[in-house]
Amino acid sequence: MNQQLSRPKIILDTDPGGDDAFAFLWLMSLVKKELAELLAVTSVEGNVNAKLTFTNACKLLQLNNFSDIEVGRGVIKTQKEIDHAAHIHGNDGLGNLAQTLPSPQQSYENARYSDDILIEKLTAFPGEITMIALAPLTNLAAAETKSPGILKQAKEIIIMGGAFNVAGNVTPEAEFNIAYSPEAAEIVFNNSNHLVILPLDVTRSLIFRPEMAQKISEVNPESNITQFILALAQAMTQTSLSHRETQGIEGFLVHDAVTLAYLFYPETLQFCRARVEVEVVGKLTPGKTIFDRRHHAKIEANAWVAQQVNSANLFAAFVEDLKTLVRY
């Protein structure tokens, strides 16, 4: 069967971030294979501060010869419920490897704010843009607040975030991206019904192991991208083991990569439809994501929520696509 499918138009909302970087690399490999079109990258403060996430996004684009793609500077959240995650991702957000990457050609001081880019692109391509959100939802909420109804112009919004039947990773109940700004998550959840949510329930099984990085490196050991992948995997593995994130298995969790699996390899995931909400005022549970599992009729669902993932097939696609990236 010959299917002529249009390439998805994508905006990547990200706070690189070690696992963000691997998702970013996966996306760029798919763009290089002409399977996707990356319209813009909107950086967000989260794993590290806004200037570092902007710089890291620019460096990753530069490393892969995508320096012409605009990067937005993140909307600053003045009050933060939780701290940055530099203790996981390194002081620079990239395992303290940012200095090994090319210097960015874009200036943080002169960059447009991410919410303005989101509004512009969603207005220009109504119903066409897939937003991939790997970070706190600050930019998306800011865009919706500034231009009410703008999020409904997205084809879909793919969110790595939340925890439903498992413990949180920054509090007993909450996952980092949602806990960083529960108010922002509430705005997004309440103003779109085209959400795809990929929570810790599925990402906790996505352990990227050293032998996977080695398989990628065998294709082109001298590539700058190869060297970065190897070094970042090693750095992330060390911190993941020290924080007991992988049950003692050598490797690290590539939470954010699951968003690309949903979009390009949907057979690796199973979902249920639900009305997802977030706790914003609880004393012990701010940032907790919930949906009603009781067996009765439900209306006004806003999201597809991932329930299961085939990690073996996901990683088979992930590794093979990254191999194509280092060949260039």
Side-chain angles (χ1 to χ4, degrees):
M1 179 166 47
N2 182 20
Q3 292 182 317
Q4 297 296 323
L5 300 178
S6 60
R7 296 179 298 167
K9 293 181 173 65
I10 293 171
I11 295 176
L12 183 67
D13 193 67
T14 181
D15 60 340
D19 59 323
D20 295 72
F22 275 86
F24 205 154
L25 290 170
W26 195 1
L27 175 57
M28 286 187 283
S29 78
L30 295 160
V31 173
K32 285 195 172 183
K33 293 200 294 183
E34 299 185 346
L35 296 174
E37 180 182 359
L38 183 57
L39 298 182
V41 175
T42 50
S43 66
V44 194
E45 67 170 357
N47 286 324
V48 286
N49 67 54
K51 187 170 185 178
L52 281 175
T53 60
F54 172 88
T55 301
N56 290 345
C58 292
K59 284 174 173 273
L60 289 168
L61 289 168
Q62 186 79 10
L63 177 67
N64 292 277
N65 298 313
F66 284 116
S67 57
D68 57 330
I69 293 175
E70 182 179 11
V71 179
R73 59 187 289 184
V75 176
I76 303 297
K77 179 174 168 53
T78 55
Q79 291 185 323
K80 301 176 179 65
E81 285 77 9
I82 60 174
D83 292 330
H84 296 140
H87 61 289
I88 297 290
H89 298 274
N91 290 330
D92 64 359
L94 293 177
N96 298 318
L97 298 166
Q99 77 281 357
T100 68
L101 300 180
S103 298
Q105 294 185 359
Q106 301 182 53
S107 163
Y108 176 78
E109 289 72 22
N110 296 327
R112 293 197 291 164
Y113 278 101
S114 291
D115 59 337
D116 291 330
I117 294 174
L118 293 175
I119 292 168
E120 177 191 88
K121 299 296 186 185
L122 290 169
T123 301
F125 301 101
E128 296 184 45
I129 293 176
T130 296
M131 298 179 59
I132 301 178
L134 310 180
L137 298 174
T138 321
N139 289 337
L140 279 66
E144 180 65 29
T145 301
K146 185 178 289 187
S147 180
I150 195 64
L151 294 182
K152 289 185 171 65
Q153 298 301 316
K155 180 179 181 180
E156 58 185 347
I157 302 173
I158 306 170
I159 298 169
M160 188 277 118
F164 295 91
N165 290 324
V166 298
N169 59 1
V170 290
T171 75
E173 297 291 341
E175 177 274 333
F176 177 85
N177 288 341
I178 304 301
Y180 196 83
S181 180
E183 296 81 9
E186 182 180 45
I187 290 171
V188 174
F189 293 169
N190 286 345
N191 288 282
S192 176
N193 58 5
H194 297 295
L195 304 175
V196 177
I197 298 178
L198 299 138
L200 294 181
D201 305 56
V202 295
T203 67
R204 280 219 166 102
S205 66
L206 301 179
I207 303 173
F208 185 82
R209 300 186 302 277
E211 56 266 31
M212 297 177 184
Q214 192 59 43
K215 286 181 180 178
I216 296 166
S217 73
E218 290 169 359
V219 175
N220 186 356
E222 303 305 318
S223 163
N224 290 335
I225 300 171
T226 296
Q227 296 303 313
F228 176 69
I229 288 172
L230 288 170
L232 184 57
Q234 181 179 18
M236 291 298 297
T237 294
Q238 290 174 347
T239 58
S240 293
L241 288 171
S242 67
H243 286 86
R244 304 177 186 180
E245 291 190 327
T246 57
Q247 299 83 49
I249 300 170
E250 189 173 5
F252 69 99
L253 296 172
V254 284
H255 299 284
D256 294 327
V258 73
T259 57
L260 278 302
Y262 160 74
L263 192 57
F264 294 96
Y265 302 96
E267 68 278 7
T268 62
L269 290 151
Q270 293 183 9
F271 291 85
C272 72
R273 186 77 173 146
R275 173 75 191 180
V276 175
E277 299 182 273
V278 59
E279 178 60 71
V280 295
V281 297
K283 179 180 178 182
L284 301 176
T285 58
K288 179 176 177 58
T289 48
I290 58 173
F291 66 83
D292 190 350
R293 289 182 175 79
R294 293 173 296 174
H295 188 57
H296 57 73
K298 302 174 184 69
I299 60 174
E300 298 184 347
N302 61 352
W304 289 99
V305 181
Q307 302 288 287
Q308 296 181 41
V309 61
N310 184 324
S311 57
N313 281 341
L314 185 153
F315 278 121
F318 183 47
V319 169
E320 290 305 310
D321 284 336
L322 288 186
K323 285 181 181 179
T324 69
L325 187 65
V326 303
R327 287 192 184 104
Y328 285 89

